[in-house]
Amino acid sequence: MERYYSYSRFLKETFGEKVYKISIDGGFTCPNRDGTLSEGGCIFCSEGGSGDYAESSRLSVSGQIARGKGQSSKKYSGGRYIAYFQAFTNTYGPVDRLRALYEEAIAPEEIAAIAIGTRPDCLPAPVLDLLEEINRIKPVFLEMGLQTCHDSTAAFLNRGYRTEVFTQAAEACAARGIRTTAHLILGLPGESPEMLAETIRYVNALPVGGVKLSMLHILKNTRLADIYAQEPFPLFTPESYISCVISCIEMLRPDIVIERMTGDGPRDLLIAPTWSLHKRNVLNSIHQEMKRRDSFQGKQWQVHPAAGSMITEK
Ligand code: SF4
């Protein structure tokens, strides 16, 4: 019995087979790093703009796709791929440049869809028009970093936008038929279990198609690493993370695809928690514990009438 709506099930339902993601670096930066909003970026963000697995932007998009295909051939025998613009903010640029990159990415026959990682405050109407147009040719999956619905925590993270901006972006994308995924971080400093539950209820109230759940990672050369070195704060143990992520899954709306439920911190950058590098073990433990608890996605799900009030937090 599948106890949650897995990404592999979603891919099979959407494409009839498992498809493999190729991470691409489109040579973007981020308004939270280039001085437009700030220069520091989100305090947890690595120097690679959270795209540390992406191919090198020195190669063209088609060059990166070709290389990604070659590298995936050891572990993936299928023939279709998702081109994933992962590093930095991949809708941050002139529309003509975005168009050229996206069109190059969807051109190969074997590319089934494109995934685009971005910020909700980098989706002006002309960019949404372009995404809608591309989405009519091949599916566009837009991924946006939310992390938390609490503006107070977001200010600590230097996220650089208020949660109502995320609400508006998710709704604008849904109105145009563009599927969105929200990235959430579990275990943020200062957040109680109830605050995390409020974030899940906030997401449940939005027209999003997927979530990516992760524990907080401390990565080298980040502001968070400095804060942690000066004043260490508690991080998840494997047991406490497994319990927390299962609680989130139980609260999550059943039609939301869980695209990730462990961390994805690069080995050479990860300071803590290092146990999260054993992804297969963590996943197996989550599955075993869900079975032991007879847990499943949506077990505690209710439509929360006050969910919208989260966006008015001062
Ligand atoms: S928005 Fe993304 S790329 Fe920009 S600083 Fe935050 S995590 Fe990094």
Side-chain angles (χ1 to χ4, degrees):
M1 167 189 168
E2 191 175 68
R3 293 177 180 271
Y4 61 92
Y5 193 173
S6 68
Y7 189 52
S8 56
R9 168 149 71 99
F10 166 74
L11 292 177
K12 274 205 185 114
E13 286 171 358
T14 308
F15 302 109
E17 60 181 331
K18 184 166 169 31
V19 293
Y20 187 87
K21 254 184 180 174
I22 297 174
S23 289
I24 290 171
D25 185 339
F28 290 95
T29 178
C30 168
N32 209 15
R33 283 182 167 271
D34 70 0
T36 303
L37 292 170
S38 85
E39 290 181 352
C42 303
I43 63 171
F44 53 83
C45 179
S46 67
E47 287 168 310
S50 301
D52 302 287
Y53 298 104
E55 298 288 336
S56 166
S57 64
R58 286 191 298 271
L59 293 174
S60 66
V61 166
S62 9
Q64 292 182 55
I65 290 173
R67 209 168 122 153
K69 275 171 58 184
Q71 289 181 341
S72 73
S73 61
K74 294 169 213 135
K75 44 190 173 184
Y76 173 62
S77 58
R80 296 170 84 201
Y81 302 85
I82 295 173
Y84 180 22
F85 287 89
Q86 184 178 17
F88 296 100
T89 299
N90 295 277
T91 58
Y92 185 45
V95 171
D96 288 351
R97 173 163 177 252
L98 301 179
R99 175 185 291 282
L101 289 169
Y102 302 159
E103 287 184 347
E104 187 177 348
I106 61 169
E109 177 80 32
E110 64 274 24
I111 296 296
I114 57 171
I116 298 172
T118 192
R119 297 171 54 88
D121 56 356
C122 287
L123 293 168
V127 170
L128 287 171
D129 289 344
L130 173 64
L131 295 175
E132 189 178 1
E133 190 186 322
I134 301 282
N135 192 44
R136 281 197 290 267
I137 306 167
K138 288 190 180 172
V140 172
F141 302 147
L142 203 69
E143 301 191 13
M144 297 187 287
L146 171 65
Q147 326 313 349
T148 174
C149 76
H150 297 278
D151 282 330
S152 50
T153 317
F156 166 73
L157 297 175
N158 196 38
R159 190 181 66 181
Y161 70 84
R162 292 181 63 82
T163 295
E164 62 197 34
V165 175
F166 191 97
T167 311
Q168 287 155 9
E171 287 173 350
C173 288
R176 291 165 183 263
I178 300 163
R179 180 181 186 276
T180 54
T181 294
H183 290 211
L184 306 182
I185 298 179
L186 281 51
L188 289 166
E191 289 217 339
S192 63
E194 179 50 27
M195 289 173 82
L196 177 56
E198 284 167 350
T199 293
I200 300 292
R201 290 196 289 264
Y202 165 75
V203 169
N204 282 343
L206 291 177
V208 299
V211 290
K212 284 189 170 178
L213 307 175
S214 169
M215 69 291 285
L216 181 67
H217 278 138
I218 315 283
L219 300 182
K220 287 178 191 164
N221 307 320
T222 61
R223 282 193 38 226
L224 188 61
D226 296 338
I227 294 168
Y228 186 69
Q230 280 160 18
E231 204 169 326
F233 46 82
L235 295 172
F236 283 121
T237 62
E239 294 73 24
S240 62
Y241 179 71
I242 288 161
S243 175
C244 179
V245 78
I246 291 176
S247 300
C248 291
I249 292 168
E250 288 188 350
M251 286 184 282
L252 196 65
R253 215 175 67 213
D255 64 290
I256 295 179
V257 179
I258 301 177
E259 301 183 23
R260 181 175 68 201
M261 58 169 77
T262 62
D264 218 2
R267 181 174 293 273
D268 53 336
L269 294 181
L270 185 65
I271 296 172
T274 49
W275 57 262
S276 67
L277 290 170
H278 306 289
K279 275 173 71 172
R280 183 41 58 195
N281 291 352
V282 177
L283 269 179
N284 287 343
S285 302
I286 293 171
H287 293 161
Q288 280 163 15
E289 183 62 9
M290 286 188 83
K291 194 170 171 194
R292 193 188 69 76
R293 289 195 203 176
D294 191 23
S295 180
F296 54 88
Q297 183 175 348
K299 189 175 180 182
Q300 308 289 340
W301 171 62
Q302 311 162 343
V303 176
H304 193 269
S309 68
M310 296 313 307
I311 64 170
T312 62
E313 183 194 3
K314 292 280 184 295

